[in-house]
Amino acid sequence: MFIKFFYLLRKRGLHISLNEWMALMDALQQGLGQSSLSAFYYLCRAVLIKSESDYDKFDMAFAEFFKGIETPEEIPEEVWDWLDKEIQAPASLINKLMQDLPQFDFDELQKMLEERLKEQTEEHNGGGYWIGTGGTSPFGHGGYNPAGIRIGGESRHRSAVQVAGERNFRDFREDNILDIRSFQMAFRKLRQFSSKNDGPKTELDIDQTIQQTCDNAGHLKLVFDRPRKNTVKVLLLFDSAGSMSIYSQICSQLFQAAHQSNHFKSLKVFYFHNCFYQELFTDPSCNKRTTIDTNWVLRNLDSEYKLIIVGDGAMAPSELMRVGGASYRSAYNPEPGITWLKRVRQKYPHAVWLNPISKRSWDFAYGSQTISAIRSIFPMYELTLAGLDEAIKKLLVSR
């Protein structure tokens, strides 16, 4: 069965070697597939796919081959049925939540969720204890709780085939024809970081040739200079999924402009969700199988890198300020997110934060508290052409 999948992947334009395929088979023999189609999907992508630009081709091939195969979800289907509705909690709860609701760490929340799944026998809405919609419960969606685990709503877990069928990475394909020229023009300004070689003067300096020819009464005088050496190194960190999904198009344009630019000596791209902690991710899915140690990045990418962070900065205050505040169940942060932001900022003196939320909304939009905290650490600009232009100018100078 799997050998047919291998041939389908290659037929769909994915360059997968036999060594890579055998590595996947070894991983399956060691139980890394976890007898789950979803786990197999992420394992295949981690082992076989070498570039974000190929994710869409892989998703189309996966959905084509495994169409009709379903796997059980972690949360019982009955619970999903209870949560399959939108209920707006009353606005009067917001102030109470920020002041009176208890704060739980990640381990406590995990244990509480397991207990609720065993005990709950019916639908609940507007409460503060059971899994449900609205209200103040830390489990469910559509309500208000600054430190809970969202279940359902826009981020409902889907099967691997559904995830692949959604083609979440179509905007990251290199062959997309997008209006990215303006982004590329902005990146060109980083060429000012280029330095000169110590080698011979072999490159014609047109401006100086014109000037010297004019000064020489019109008699041609050629002026040569040493060629430029491209020394620009860029580190891009993208906030992925969640509230950033609605900005995927403009983020894709920025990604492609950077990826296609020939003005960089080095370009490194990593991902995070809401805030980064001890781990970053090597692909936009932010799956635990694609993690990379943040300290490794800090050790191996020197302070000459120009850091560009793209994210809306909107999250629960606990995600930024508290130990164990990470919003996804598969991770636990022993240090607050704001500690990591400051650590990264200290490492890279040339750093900017690009925010897709309009600047005029930063002080009152959802997440205004965390946006303000981030702005105290990183210079923040709108993710617009004008904002990017200002950000690039900031990168051209020191802090």
Side-chain angles (χ1 to χ4, degrees), residues 187-253:
F187 280 129
R188 283 189 181 183
K189 295 182 179 179
L190 285 176
R191 286 185 300 179
Q192 295 181 38
F193 283 116
S194 296
S195 63
K196 299 289 186 176
N197 288 324
D198 294 327
K201 296 181 178 182
T202 58
E203 185 176 275
L204 180 65
D205 188 327
I206 297 177
D207 291 338
Q208 284 300 313
T209 295
I210 294 173
Q211 183 63 50
Q212 292 294 327
T213 299
C214 292
D215 294 343
N216 197 33
H219 295 285
L220 181 63
K221 185 174 183 179
L222 298 177
V223 179
F224 291 88
D225 200 356
R226 295 183 179 89
R228 286 186 177 274
K229 179 183 179 181
N230 194 347
T231 61
V232 183
K233 294 189 285 188
V234 174
L235 171 59
L236 262 175
L237 301 182
F238 279 97
D239 185 357
S240 179
S243 59
M244 285 295 292
S245 298
I246 60 176
Y247 306 113
S248 61
Q249 182 69 20
I250 193 169
C251 288
S252 174
Q253 292 177 354

Side-chain angles (χ1 to χ4, degrees), residues 49-95:
I49 309 305
K50 298 175 279 295
S51 171
E52 293 95 336
S53 60
D54 286 333
Y55 284 161
D56 190 54
K57 293 179 183 177
F58 172 76
D59 278 1
M60 288 192 292
F62 190 95
E64 176 183 348
F65 190 83
F66 292 101
K67 183 178 181 180
I69 297 179
E70 298 182 355
T71 55
E73 298 181 306
E74 182 181 8
I75 305 297
E77 190 61 31
E78 185 179 29
V79 175
W80 289 123
D81 292 338
W82 295 339
L83 297 171
D84 193 21
K85 55 175 57 69
E86 294 292 338
I87 294 180
Q88 183 65 39
S92 61
L93 288 173
I94 299 177
N95 291 333

Side-chain angles (χ1 to χ4, degrees), residues 163-176:
V163 171
E166 288 175 352
R167 297 182 62 192
N168 294 315
F169 307 108
R170 71 178 72 196
D171 289 337
F172 288 88
R173 291 176 60 144
E174 291 181 355
D175 57 354
N176 278 358

